[in-house]
């Protein structure tokens, strides 16, 4: 499978998860759904900052990778809301070859100014992008002359870049395990299906 197809499938599976297991959010208007996602990202960014300042090493942060997985998941959900293709971000923006798979992707993602081995650097990176997202959402309430969509997509792209770099190999398996863990808590788990084995019904508002 090509990288583009791989990424499209990952994005599609996230959409199925969201509409089945988060139907309360799925039915909201787009602006409210985005606000909800930005609140999640702000929460995760703050959690990383507190951990990083307390411990100052990735080995001492027990939920370090878990938080990054959640950041990746919410970022993918968010670009789905905005109808933005993950493969266009990865291939068009970063020039990653279509012949590789997601296990190799972290080797081709540009690091730019990001030091993905330092938790303080990562925490600051997340705080900066979270602040950009909050400003973009706030601007929509004031109806300001502000390109909220562009700013939101840029910040989400940066969160996705960070996630690929830090989570590295087996990122799909890590996301699969994380979402399966969330899905198992639902009382209709057996009827709905799951991220690992496939979904059994179409969900709210989609046939």
């Amino acid at each position: 499978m090509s990288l583009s197809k791989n990424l499209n499938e990952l994005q599609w599976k996230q959409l199925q998860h969201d509409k089945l297991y988060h139907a309360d959010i799925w039915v909201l208007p787009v602006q409210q759904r985005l606000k909800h996602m930005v609140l999640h990202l702000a929460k995760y960014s703050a959690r990383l900052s507190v951990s990083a300042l307390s411990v100052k090493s990735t080995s001492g942060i027990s939920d370090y990778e878990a938080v990054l997985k959640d950041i990746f998941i919410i970022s993918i959900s968010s670009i789905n809301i905005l109808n933005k293709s993950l493969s266009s971000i990865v291939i068009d923006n970063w020039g990653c070859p279509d012949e590789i798979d997601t296990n190799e992707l972290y080797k081709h993602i540009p690091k730019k100014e990001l030091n993905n081995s330092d938790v303080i650097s990562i925490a600051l990176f997340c705080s900066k992008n979270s602040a950009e997202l909050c400003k973009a959402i706030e601007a929509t309430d004031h109806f300001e002359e502000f390109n909220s969509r562009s700013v939101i997509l840029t910040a989400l792209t940066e969160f996705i870049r960070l996630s690929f770099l830090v989570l590295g190999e087996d990122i799909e398996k890590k996301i699969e395990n994380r979402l399966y863990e969330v899905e198992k808590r639902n009382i209709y788990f057996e009827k709905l299906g799951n991220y690992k084995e496939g979904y059994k019904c179409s969900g709210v508002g989609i046939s």
Side-chain angles (χ1 to χ4, degrees):
M1 184 183 292
S2 66
L3 178 61
S4 55
K5 289 182 179 178
N6 211 193
L7 293 171
N8 288 339
E9 180 64 16
L10 189 153
Q11 191 172 357
W12 171 250
K13 286 170 70 177
Q14 184 65 49
L15 184 73
Q16 304 310 303
H17 167 85
D18 288 341
K19 71 185 183 185
L20 286 172
Y21 283 92
H22 303 288
D24 53 341
I25 305 304
W26 179 262
V27 298
L28 295 174
V30 168
Q31 187 173 347
Q32 289 184 42
R33 287 166 69 192
L34 280 173
K35 280 185 179 181
H36 182 83
M37 299 304 172
V38 168
L39 287 172
H40 268 295
L41 291 169
K43 174 181 67 176
Y44 299 140
S45 296
R47 187 178 297 168
L48 275 178
S49 295
V50 170
S51 297
L53 291 170
S54 300
V55 183
K56 298 183 182 176
S57 71
T58 55
S59 61
I61 301 175
S62 59
D63 64 346
Y64 177 75
E65 187 174 280
V67 174
L68 265 296
K69 284 187 281 189
D70 286 339
I71 283 175
F72 184 74
I73 288 165
I74 294 298
S75 297
I76 301 303
S77 294
S78 300
I79 63 170
N80 270 333
I81 294 171
L82 293 169
N83 196 37
K84 180 69 175 179
S85 165
L86 178 59
S87 62
S88 71
I89 290 174
V90 172
I91 295 172
D92 297 344
N93 280 20
W94 300 327
C96 297
D98 201 24
E99 295 75 29
I100 63 171
D101 62 28
T102 52
N103 290 325
E104 304 172 87
L105 193 50
Y106 74 100
K107 301 174 185 176
H108 299 268
I109 298 288
K111 286 190 176 182
K112 298 186 222 178
E113 79 292 346
L114 178 62
N115 180 356
N116 61 299
S117 63
D118 176 65
V119 290
I120 298 292
S121 174
I122 289 172
L124 289 172
F125 181 87
C126 288
S127 293
K128 174 183 178 295
N129 284 289
S130 178
E132 294 290 336
L133 286 170
C134 290
K135 171 57 187 175
I137 292 296
E138 177 200 355
T140 63
D141 288 336
H142 296 296
F143 206 60
E144 293 179 26
E145 290 186 9
F146 191 86
N147 193 345
S148 290
R149 179 183 171 86
S150 177
V151 171
I152 290 169
L153 280 172
T154 297
L156 292 173
T157 296
E158 290 297 273
F159 275 124
I160 290 168
R161 181 167 70 93
L162 170 69
S163 302
F164 276 121
L165 284 170
V166 176
L167 295 175
E169 292 185 48
D170 297 323
I171 186 171
E172 286 190 69
K173 181 60 66 176
K174 291 172 182 176
I175 299 307
E176 178 183 285
N177 291 337
R178 173 58 179 149
L179 288 177
Y180 188 80
E181 173 191 325
V182 170
E183 291 170 344
K184 283 188 72 175
R185 298 198 291 262
N186 191 291
I187 60 172
Y188 295 113
F189 175 74
E190 297 296 334
K191 292 183 179 294
L192 293 173
N194 60 77
Y195 194 93
K196 282 187 179 182
E197 298 157 356
Y199 297 106
K200 296 179 181 179
C201 65
S202 58
V204 179
I206 297 290
S207 61

